[in-house]
Amino acid sequence: KNQVEQSPQSLIILEGKNCTLQCNYTVSPFSNLRWYKQDTGRGPVSLTIMTFSENTKSNGRYTATLDADTKQSSLHITASQLSDSASYICVVSAEKYGNKLVFGAGTILRVKS
Amino acid sequence: NAGVTQTPKFQVLKTGQSMTLQCAQDMNHNSMYWYRQDPGMGLRLIYYSASEGTTDKGEVPNGYNVSRLNKREFSLRLESAAPSQTSVYFCASRQISNQPQHFGDGTRLSIL
């Protein structure tokens, strides 16, 4: 069982609408949680990094939240644009404790006009 | 800024052939990584190099070798390609562990 589970696997929304992607993890302890955006045919690009003591982090229309008690994170996208169509990957880092990054399988988001 | 550059972008091999995937970064980063990405799975670490002159195995190293040629370049070699190695390979780099990794755009490798 993957230590980082993302839901939904895929999502289609209309341009201008908001959406929320979920990430549940079992990695423990961990030092930070990251969200990456991966456009089709490109490498992942970092959106946010949160340490275990942070509850929320924003990057433009992207807002990530973290609940370390329930081991859940979410990525909220506001006023979606066609360019938001991509795969969004949740990554948990336990490197401070001698382990490596654990990647989720990603949520594929399609924004349609 | 080029960032992380991977070559080639696409390659088709026959089973048993060998090949080297190249990766170079121009950000003066200490650490470099090789991942593979398969459908429905998260990125999996093959090998990494924490600093120039060092390399270590990741989660799925079997069938691969790496060389940290200098601070800029980190290559991945398949000595005898197998169909199970059909995947998209990503190289990444970063300066220190609490910073995000910077990824290249991948090499799409098919082994027949």
Side-chain angles (χ1 to χ4, degrees):
Chain A
K1 180 173 165 61
N2 197 351
Q3 294 180 294
V4 177
E5 297 282 353
Q6 292 188 242
S7 61
Q9 283 188 315
S10 62
L11 181 63
I12 301 174
I13 62 172
L14 288 174
E15 187 178 14
K17 298 296 186 183
N18 303 335
C19 67
T20 300
L21 314 180
Q22 300 291 343
C23 174
N24 294 341
Y25 61 91
T26 58
V27 179
S28 182
F30 79 101
S31 53
N32 60 64
L33 185 145
R34 310 156 186 217
W35 283 93
Y36 281 83
K37 178 187 179 189
Q38 184 176 18
D39 292 318
T40 301
R42 305 296 299 273
V45 174
S46 178
L47 290 175
T48 63
I49 295 182
M50 291 182 290
T51 66
F52 66 88
S53 61
E54 293 179 290
N55 298 121
T56 185
K57 183 72 69 78
S58 290
N59 179 358
R61 295 181 295 102
Y62 300 101
T63 299
T65 64
L66 174 63
D67 185 334
D69 291 331
T70 61
K71 295 184 171 59
Q72 295 180 326
S73 177
S74 65
L75 181 69
H76 185 75
I77 304 174
T78 303
S80 60
Q81 300 176 359
L82 296 178
S83 59
D84 292 330
S85 295
S87 177
Y88 292 84
I89 301 171
C90 175
V91 186
V92 179
S93 171
E95 292 173 294
K96 182 178 177 181
Y97 306 98
N99 296 312
K100 298 295 175 282
L101 300 179
V102 183
F103 289 77
T107 292
I108 299 172
L109 173 66
R110 180 182 163 206
V111 180
K112 55 188 242 180
S113 57
Chain B
N1 290 336
V4 178
T5 302
Q6 292 184 235
T7 56
K9 295 189 186 305
F10 303 92
Q11 185 70 48
V12 178
L13 294 178
K14 294 181 180 178
T15 298
Q17 287 185 315
S18 62
M19 167 154 197
T20 299
L21 309 185
Q22 306 287 352
C23 174
Q25 53 94 5
D26 61 3
M27 296 171 283
N28 202 36
H29 286 169
N30 289 319
S31 302
M32 297 186 73
Y33 306 80
W34 276 105
Y35 293 91
R36 60 178 290 172
Q37 187 175 41
D38 299 296
M41 300 181 70
L43 283 152
R44 291 183 291 168
L45 182 64
I46 305 171
Y47 271 94
Y48 68 100
S49 171
S51 61
E52 186 178 358
T54 69
T55 60
D56 284 288
K57 295 179 180 179
E59 181 184 355
V60 289
N62 291 345
Y64 306 95
N65 285 300
V66 291
S67 295
R68 183 75 182 265
L69 304 171
N70 47 55
K71 191 169 186 179
R72 291 186 63 248
E73 299 172 289
F74 188 38
S75 63
L76 178 72
R77 183 162 178 83
L78 287 69
E79 291 291 351
S80 179
S84 61
Q85 294 177 306
T86 293
S87 188
V88 182
Y89 291 85
F90 287 97
C91 177
S93 71
R94 67 178 173 185
Q95 183 63 7
I96 53 177
S97 64
N98 65 350
Q99 294 297 309
Q101 292 181 335
H102 295 258
F103 287 84
D105 283 337
T107 293
R108 284 143 189 83
L109 183 61
S110 292
I111 299 161
L112 307 177

